[in-house]
Amino acid sequence: MAGFFTPEQIEILSASTVRVATLAELAFASGTMRLFAGAGVRDFGGQEWRGLGGLISIDGLGDMRTTQANTVSITLSGVDEATLPKAIGEPEEVVDRLIVIYWQFLDSGMQPVGSLVPIYFGLMQSPSIDRSEASDDEGAVCTISLPCEGLFVGRSKPPRGRYTDRDQQARHPGDRIFDRMSENRGKVVLWPDFD
């Protein structure tokens, strides 16, 4: 652990109260959006992050030391109507795009200490939208939920092809990397050969 965290971060982690900001970097097709669960606009790791206060929640961040495809869900509450058409009508903007969730340790003055610590890598999926009914004293509230699948989600899928010349020619005509593959079946190669 001493090689991963800086001495300042280790000091913060060993204190009785640990202050941390949770950051989400969403790589949409049109550009990257950086959000955090706080207020205002802050500089973390040399980048500008926009705070959403209590409007954002991240569920499913647990023990990430396994090789399972953990699913994380990001929920934005109180979203304005202008955001909805973009979330509904353009799936290529979101689906299978990278999301990285970080921790940024903070000192007692709420200033960043050390570099960002990535805690989750995943791929965004199609968002779902929930609209509550308007009441007499409040308007309708829109909530967007963005499910994200871990990078191991495709681990059990079959490969897209075989390591044969025929498959390689179908994908990349003229590429000759596998044209002698059949000759090497059962071949014994002595290496290193010092004779």
Side-chain angles (χ1 to χ4, degrees), residues 29-46:
S30 61
T32 302
M33 181 182 290
R34 293 177 180 89
L35 307 171
F36 76 99
V41 176
R42 297 280 311 264
D43 183 295
F44 296 116

Side-chain angles (χ1 to χ4, degrees), residues 113-144:
V113 175
S115 59
L116 301 174
V117 179
I119 60 169
Y120 179 79
F121 293 91
L123 300 172
M124 296 182 279
Q125 300 304 308
S126 295
S128 62
I129 298 169
D130 181 39
R131 267 192 199 117
S132 68
E133 295 295 323
S135 62
D136 293 337
D137 54 346
E138 296 180 7
V141 176
C142 295
T143 303
I144 296 179

Side-chain angles (χ1 to χ4, degrees), residues 98-169:
L98 183 66
I99 178 171
V100 183
I101 298 176
Y102 299 96
W103 276 347
Q104 173 67 68
F105 293 108
L106 305 169
D107 62 12
S108 58
M110 301 305 282
Q111 296 304 311
V113 175
S115 59
L116 301 174
V117 179
I119 60 169
Y120 179 79
F121 293 91
L123 300 172
M124 296 182 279
Q125 300 304 308
S126 295
S128 62
I129 298 169
D130 181 39
R131 267 192 199 117
S132 68
E133 295 295 323
S135 62
D136 293 337
D137 54 346
E138 296 180 7
V141 176
C142 295
T143 303
I144 296 179
S145 294
L146 182 64
C148 306
E149 295 179 340
L151 294 180
F152 287 118
V153 71
R155 181 176 63 147
S156 62
K157 291 181 182 176
R160 290 189 278 172
R162 300 178 186 270
Y163 297 121
T164 63
D165 184 51
R166 189 158 128 193
D167 277 0
Q168 187 68 8
Q169 292 303 317

